[in-house]
Amino acid sequence: DDIVASYIILISNTPDLQFYSMNKLVSLIKDDVTQQPLVQVTAWCLGEYGEMYSNLDDSNSDKMLPEEIANILIKVLNYNAGLVATRYYAINALIKLMTRYPSLTDHVQMIMSVYGCNMNL
């Protein structure tokens, strides 16, 4: 937990590297969400800086749609062996993204209805 918090502080205090860090972390967890500390930091980054993907021009290969970002976070939520703390990060990031991208509202609310009854979350 201390390493996750320290890494988040490092990223947040280095604006020049925020997108780079987030983009590299996203590429690491796209196919493998088993490294829970990395997933937690990535989820936090997507919640804080996910809109940076929208600011890229269309020719940039790193550009992602809000739905793609949400799907990564949903994949994190659906990972059965994931830690509860990791789900906290993913839910928090989804809610943050929903406020920035109203088009995600229905999709995120449907996902949240599944987790709304979970006593741990």
Side-chain angles (χ1 to χ4, degrees), residues 72-90:
I72 291 170
L73 293 167
I74 291 167
K75 181 179 179 180
V76 169
L77 285 172
N78 291 334
Y79 178 58
N80 291 331
L83 301 172
V84 172
T86 305
R87 289 193 175 106
Y88 293 152
Y89 281 98

Side-chain angles (χ1 to χ4, degrees), residues 30-77:
K30 265 188 177 177
D31 298 321
D32 179 19
V33 293
T34 59
Q35 302 295 322
Q36 294 294 286
L38 280 179
V39 174
Q40 291 171 6
V41 174
T42 307
W44 181 87
C45 286
L46 287 172
E48 291 296 315
Y49 311 119
E51 76 277 356
M52 288 182 175
Y53 281 111
S54 297
N55 298 335
L56 299 174
D57 60 18
D58 290 333
S59 64
N60 194 319
S61 63
D62 292 330
K63 185 169 180 144
M64 279 200 296
L65 298 171
E67 292 79 15
E68 293 174 290
I69 298 169
N71 287 336
I72 291 170
L73 293 167
I74 291 167
K75 181 179 179 180
V76 169
L77 285 172

